[in-house]
Amino acid sequence: MTFEEMKAHLIKRILQQQLVTATISQPRMKSNEVKRIKLKPLMLKNSYHIQIEYQYERILKHENIQLTEFPAKLETIFEDYRQAHVDFIDEKVQVQLSKKNKVLWKSDQSSIPKQVNLAHNRKKNYLLSDDQPYSFLIRLGVQTEDGKVKKQKYDKFKQINRFIEFIDDALSYLPKNRQVRILDFGSGKSYLTFALYHYLKIEKGLDIRVTGLDLKKEVIEECSRIAQDLGYDQLEFLVGDINDYNEESAVDMVVTLHACDVATDMALARAVKWGASVILSVPCCQHELNRQLNTPSLDIMLQHGLIRERFAALATDSIRAEILSLVGYEAQLLEFIDMENTPKNILIRAYRTGKKANVEQRANYDAFLNLLHATPFLQTELKEYL
């Protein structure tokens, strides 16, 4: 059986709604963060779908795809994986692919048809359970006293859990033999700061010291009271600006949430200079590049204010991630929360590797900046590292 014949057989059976379950594994690239993919059929709004479960090292993500759109998705999946175990109603299939897509195929026929469960399990497995009381969530008004998430706060609860997923993914990059130093610039009402402290200190038992920094005195005073009441003795909140904070010479993790315009770049630059192992940054508004854009070849797009603003925001975050890559970080742009909740949903995640950028990577970066006729603030801040 050829590679194309193998895919055609699987797709045909799936389109016939014969799938019971499937597991696809063995990523072709070690860098692939999704270690395993599971497939199962389900009914959504009276329509047959295939649910795709992406299994990372510590978290799961789900995507539901209509049956007619699934063949193209399966084609893409087999570009990245080499093994599949597929259960159909009357057949069990095992597939092993070589690096050059030579197919090792095994099929076992069954005389007793299997049952297909098309029910949709809507309960999501959160790292923080949605039916367990947490003192900080109760105090912050996200949960009731008995641990139920308040209806009007459920989006906030999902955002907190999404943030905790990123924190959990970063655990292996944090020191194990000493206190972990964490700074949160622009902490605001500090939902995520408290969540970070709870997860790392209470649930994971790490020795940490966390500082939340914000310009709003009243907010800082309230957060300080809550931390004291909860007994979070290694969590402090200070009034201050990113530029004025000079209390540290080295930091392990830097978090910056919704710091406007170049305030995000200031925080990223400070993180790099401190040698932070982990950077988590959710930018807010980006105006600097918008003002600099001078690219006649893109005028068809940029003549429209809305498109210009969105392009500038996406380009700014792409540049930030690339600069972090150039100075020794593994940087990614990830979805923080669903686009339906806010368009400002990009998170920059960077892990310090110390890997040096190659000549081609720097040339590609310079070419992009030349196209835009721009000089990013972060580039200027980190010029001695580039």
Side-chain angles (χ1 to χ4, degrees):
M1 178 178 290
T2 68
F3 183 53
E4 295 302 323
E5 289 172 339
M6 178 273 295
K7 290 188 294 183
H9 178 85
L10 296 180
I11 289 172
K12 179 181 178 181
R13 298 300 310 273
I14 291 172
L15 289 177
Q16 291 173 340
Q17 300 185 13
Q18 302 293 300
L19 178 67
V20 178
T21 184
T23 300
I24 300 171
S25 56
Q26 288 192 9
R28 295 178 186 264
M29 302 291 291
K30 290 183 178 180
S31 59
N32 192 338
E33 293 186 342
V34 181
K35 305 307 178 187
R36 190 177 294 103
I37 293 174
K38 287 193 173 183
L39 309 175
K40 74 170 186 177
L42 54 81
M43 294 297 292
L44 289 176
K45 298 179 180 178
N46 297 318
S47 177
Y48 189 100
H49 287 65
I50 301 295
Q51 182 180 82
I52 306 176
E53 179 180 276
Y54 301 97
Q55 299 187 358
Y56 293 75
E57 185 174 349
R58 296 186 182 89
I59 62 173
L60 303 176
K61 296 181 181 178
H62 295 87
E63 180 182 15
N64 299 321
I65 295 183
Q66 289 188 340
L67 183 60
T68 54
E69 298 174 0
F70 184 73
K73 189 70 175 182
L74 191 63
E75 292 269 1
T76 302
I77 289 173
F78 273 115
E79 292 176 4
D80 297 328
Y81 296 88
R82 296 174 52 196
Q83 182 173 279
H85 294 265
V86 187
D87 280 350
F88 294 111
I89 290 175
D90 57 357
E91 180 187 23
K92 179 179 288 187
V93 173
Q94 297 183 47
V95 177
Q96 185 70 48
L97 303 174
S98 70
K99 291 183 178 179
K100 295 184 179 180
N101 284 335
K102 182 179 179 180
V103 178
L104 179 62
W105 173 278
K106 182 179 179 182
S107 173
D108 293 324
Q109 301 292 326
S110 174
S111 58
I112 303 175
K114 295 178 181 178
Q115 297 296 314
V116 181
N117 181 9
L118 296 175
H120 183 204
N121 180 9
R122 294 182 178 273
K123 183 172 176 63
K124 179 173 171 60
N125 293 319
Y126 291 112
L127 289 174
L128 297 181
S129 175
D130 58 358
D131 56 9
Q132 175 182 336
Y134 298 96
S135 57
F136 79 98
L137 289 179
I138 294 172
R139 184 61 189 272
L140 293 171
V142 177
Q143 285 183 321
T144 60
E145 291 290 339
D146 59 354
K148 301 300 181 183
V149 178
K150 295 179 180 179
K151 184 177 181 180
Q152 68 272 26
K153 290 291 186 179
Y154 215 91
D155 285 343
K156 177 59 68 176
F157 176 78
K158 290 193 294 183
Q159 182 193 51
I160 289 170
N161 261 288
R162 179 64 171 147
F163 182 66
I164 291 298
E165 289 177 2
F166 290 121
I167 297 298
D168 190 69
D169 287 343
L171 285 175
S172 61
Y173 292 88
L174 298 176
K176 306 295 188 297
N177 56 351
R178 60 173 176 81
Q179 187 177 72
V180 180
R181 187 70 178 103
I182 301 172
L183 292 180
D184 182 353
F185 288 121
S187 55
K189 293 183 179 179
S190 301
Y191 291 98
L192 303 184
T193 319
F194 282 106
L196 178 154
Y197 185 91
H198 168 86
Y199 190 71
L200 293 181
K201 180 72 173 179
I202 310 301
E203 300 216 2
K204 294 299 180 180
L206 298 185
D207 180 11
I208 62 174
R209 186 162 69 91
V210 182
T211 298
L213 193 72
D214 200 273
L215 290 171
K216 300 180 181 69
K217 182 180 178 182
E218 297 79 7
V219 173
I220 289 297
E221 289 175 347
E222 175 63 16
C223 290
S224 296
R225 281 193 294 270
I226 294 174
Q228 185 176 7
D229 293 346
L230 293 173
Y232 288 2
D233 54 0
Q234 293 297 310
L235 172 60
E236 64 176 355
F237 293 93
L238 304 174
V239 177
D241 184 272
I242 292 172
N243 270 340
D244 298 331
Y245 188 80
N246 298 302
E247 306 300 319
E248 308 293 335
S249 57
V251 173
D252 299 301
M253 177 188 290
V254 171
V255 176
T256 167
L257 301 171
H258 304 301
C260 286
D261 204 16
V262 296
T264 292
D265 301 294
M266 293 176 189
L268 295 177
R270 298 296 293 277
V272 171
K273 293 174 182 178
W274 280 323
S277 299
V278 177
I279 301 172
L280 298 174
S281 176
V282 179
C284 183
C285 50
Q286 296 105 325
H287 302 305
E288 184 212 12
L289 185 62
N290 197 334
R291 293 189 293 266
Q292 295 185 32
L293 285 174
N294 179 18
T295 312
S297 58
L298 297 180
D299 278 352
I300 289 178
M301 289 175 56
L302 303 185
Q303 64 180 321
H304 306 286
L306 175 64
I307 300 301
R308 183 184 180 94
E309 180 181 345
R310 292 184 180 178
F311 175 84
L314 293 171
T316 296
D317 288 335
S318 299
I319 290 168
R320 286 166 171 159
E322 192 63 20
I323 289 176
L324 290 173
S325 297
L326 292 171
V327 299
Y329 284 79
E330 177 188 327
Q332 295 174 297
L333 299 178
L334 303 168
E335 185 180 68
F336 180 35
I337 49 179
D338 292 340
M339 184 68 81
E340 65 188 37
N341 295 322
T342 174
K344 299 173 181 177
N345 72 332
I346 289 178
L347 179 138
I348 303 170
R349 180 178 71 184
Y351 300 140
R352 190 171 184 270
T353 63
K355 182 180 179 181
K356 301 294 183 182
N358 58 41
V359 174
E360 181 181 5
Q361 185 181 2
R362 181 55 197 256
N364 289 339
Y365 170 79
D366 290 338
F368 186 61
L369 268 293
N370 289 335
L371 170 68
L372 302 181
H373 292 89
T375 305
F377 182 89
L378 185 58
Q379 175 181 302
T380 303
E381 287 290 297
L382 294 176
K383 59 184 178 182
E384 69 267 33
Y385 294 82
L386 289 165

